[in-house]
Structure formats: structure tokens, C-alpha cells
Amino acid sequence: MEREVRPRLRRGEGRSGLSFGRRASVVALLLFVGCGPAFAANPIGKVDRVQGEAQGTSGGTTAVLVTGSPVSLNEILTTGPDGRLALTLDDGTGLTLGEKARLAVDRFVYDPTGASTLHADVAGAFRFISGKLQLGATKDASVTTPSAVIGVRGTDFWGGPIDGEIGVVLLEGSVTVTTATGAATLAVPGQGVNINAAASLSAVTTWPDDKRSRALATVTFR
């Protein structure tokens, strides 16, 4: 009849054969290695590309962002001088920041076949490209800047400082730009508006090629 043979334990060892002190050290090490920053535990997207300086801050912890870094809800993403940061959220939405910009996604609910919600706060130059929706799915998406709230509908657009004002130019889809003094809808690619220091909206115009090129250059990687 076979019987189980168990190794004899030395004093101070658990059944793993490690002393309790060593076991505690191993567990602590595994927790440290496995968890990483607290704000990486429930990511809503990831960084695709970085140029220059870029950081993410959440819960009082700041980390340098690199390609593949997770992006979390309410994490504050910033870029330095001549910086660029491109990221993709889990719903396929793409966001690119220019230099000295700031972004925080504070609402994000993704249901591939139902109703999704996305809201982001942005300061500085940025480009927003909506993720594709499945048939029957809906999305309530908006971007808040220091000058306006931009309602998004299946859209690719740019926003940021240009020619001494804040501009928004449509590249595809449709957006509604709302300020404290009025609202304007951009529904034709190439249409744009300017917002002055008093938050007044200009008339909707078709931006010349040169102006569109200068706008997009602020979020283009070298």
C-alpha cells in the first residue's frame, strides 16, 4: 500500500518550504510586480505613440507614458514642449495631442451593440477620430475645451489654438460647437469656426488649405 511522503519542515517554515519571512517577501514582490501603478488596473485604452515628453497622472501618482501604456478613466495625460501623444480607447476612438496639451477622459461607457458614452476634457491642440459603431449601436460623445463644448457625431475633427484664437475644423462627419455666446454646426468637411477670448463664435467658413495644414501640423508626429 502506497503512502504519501511529505518532507519534514524545519522550524519557521510553512508547507511551501519557505520561511514565513521569505514567503511574505515573495508575496510582496509578486504584488508589486503584478499590479504596477494603481491607475493601470482598469484601463479604457492604450497609448499608441509618443514623441517627446508625455506623462499620465492619477491618484497622485505620475508615470512617464510610452507606447503600450494603459490609459485609465480620469487619468490626466499631458505633453511637454514639442510633444505628441496618440492613444486609442477601447471603443476605437483615436485621440492625438499636440505639445503642452492636457487630456482627461472622465466618462466612458462602451457597449459595442448598445448605448455608449464618452466625454473628454482637452486643453491645447488635439485631433479626435470617432470609433466605428456597429449596426444599431449609439454613442453620446462630447469634448469640452476651455472655450467650448463640442458635440460629436461620427466624426474626425481638429481643435486648438490657431492665429491667436481657438479654432475647430471638421475633417469628416459632423460636430456642434457650443460656447457661452452661441452655437454652430459644422457638417461639411473643411468647415471651421474660430472662438475669440470673449468666447464669441465666428461665422462658419471653409478654412483655406493653408490653415487646415497648419492646424494638422500641430498634432503630426515627426
Side-chain angles (χ1 to χ4, degrees), residues 46-54 65 71 77-80 82-89 92-105 118 120-131 143 145 150 155-161 167 169 171 215-222:
K46 67 178 181 64
V47 172
D48 296 322
R49 190 176 178 186
V50 179
Q51 173 185 305
E53 298 177 6
L65 297 174
V71 174
L77 310 177
T78 57
T79 56
D82 198 34
R84 300 287 188 274
L85 176 67
L87 59 99
T88 301
L89 301 179
T93 295
L95 281 155
T96 303
L97 300 181
E99 68 173 358
K100 299 179 182 178
R102 177 187 181 277
L103 164 70
V105 178
L118 167 62
D121 276 296
V122 185
F126 69 96
R127 184 173 181 175
F128 181 105
I129 303 177
S130 296
V143 175
T145 74
I150 305 168
T155 300
D156 178 356
F157 72 98
W158 175 93
V169 62
L171 303 170
L216 293 176
T218 64
V219 293
T220 300
F221 285 77
R222 288 196 302 266

Side-chain angles (χ1 to χ4, degrees), residues 135-179:
L135 184 64
T138 62
K139 181 188 290 185
D140 177 13
S142 60
V143 175
T144 297
T145 74
S147 302
V149 176
I150 305 168
V152 180
R153 292 188 294 277
T155 300
D156 178 356
F157 72 98
W158 175 93
I162 189 166
D163 296 339
E165 297 181 311
I166 299 299
V168 178
V169 62
L170 182 69
L171 303 170
E172 183 180 326
S174 175
V175 296
T176 298
V177 182
T178 303
T179 73

Side-chain angles (χ1 to χ4, degrees), residues 52-71:
E53 298 177 6
Q55 296 181 327
T57 301
S58 183
T61 300
T62 298
V64 174
L65 297 174
V66 298
T67 300
S69 291
V71 174

